[in-house]
Amino acid sequence: MKKIILRIIRLFIGYFVCAVGMVMTINANIGVSPWDVFHQGLGNIFNLPIGRASIIAGLIITIIDIFLGQNIGWGTIFNMIVIGIFVDFLMFNKLIPIFNSFFPSLLMMLLGMLVLGYGCYIYIGAGFGAGPRDGLMVALTKKTNKSVRFVKNSVEILVTVVGYLLGGSVGIGTAIMSIAGGYFFQFAFKTVNFDVSQVEHRYISDDIRFIKERLISVKEDKA
């Protein structure tokens, strides 16, 4: 039980660090990440803050993940809800500054990507499943037999275009994050010697199976 509680604490700390990184890239004000372009556009349509729009997008993507046969963990569910709440909290309370000069903005955006990488390391390492968007990449890669890079770039181009058409903000930062984001994640993971493929995730289906087995065991004991 103690290990589970520590893993849950780690999960939520990771979400908060991810939210800090996301808000840093947003407040850099030189163009947000492809997914945040989509979140901004969705927020413009429904008059919602970006965090709440992120939650709605996460819910839709999770449903698509399930339809594509991707395993869903409790971390997947919490990811789409909690990070959006943390993002709105940080932005509403103006806890992270907004820069208007290019070089300070560029520096904060780059640091934001690095912080986001460490946040992903913390929450993924908890072993409760990846987020909805990461799950979508995995599911589409399996379904199409295309490379992860091809699938990731294709999806991010699509969400950027849709988000821009819905009124999302696109700038030089969007291009930089699209190209360099993977390298920053790789650097963050390397500094902590983290291998994503070595993480053993516990999925919701595992818990359902465990509960069924326990119920069957109890019935057999009573019989």
Side-chain angles (χ1 to χ4, degrees), residues 10 117-118 121-122 185-195:
R10 172 175 178 163
Y118 284 116
Y121 149 68
I122 295 170
F185 273 54
Q186 185 176 352
F187 175 78
F189 289 176
K190 189 174 182 179
T191 59
V192 291
N193 197 27
F194 179 61
D195 186 350

Side-chain angles (χ1 to χ4, degrees), residues 28-112:
N29 207 25
I30 54 174
V32 296
S33 70
W35 276 109
D36 284 330
V37 174
F38 179 72
H39 298 152
Q40 281 186 337
L42 199 63
N44 289 338
I45 293 296
F46 295 103
N47 194 27
L48 295 172
I50 190 170
R52 211 167 302 168
S54 173
I55 293 173
I56 293 174
L59 176 61
I60 296 170
I61 297 165
T62 299
I63 294 172
I64 295 173
D65 289 345
I66 295 172
F67 179 77
L68 293 174
Q70 179 67 17
N71 277 324
I72 302 299
W74 293 111
T76 309
I77 306 299
F78 289 133
N79 179 292
M80 70 180 181
I81 298 172
V82 176
I83 291 181
I85 292 173
F86 282 153
V87 167
D88 283 344
F89 171 79
L90 291 168
M91 295 190 74
F92 285 154
N93 291 283
K94 300 179 180 179
L95 298 178
I96 295 176
I98 298 175
F99 289 109
N100 294 313
S101 299
F102 178 75
F103 287 108
S105 294
L106 178 62
L107 178 60
M108 187 164 80
M109 188 199 71
L110 297 176
L111 288 174

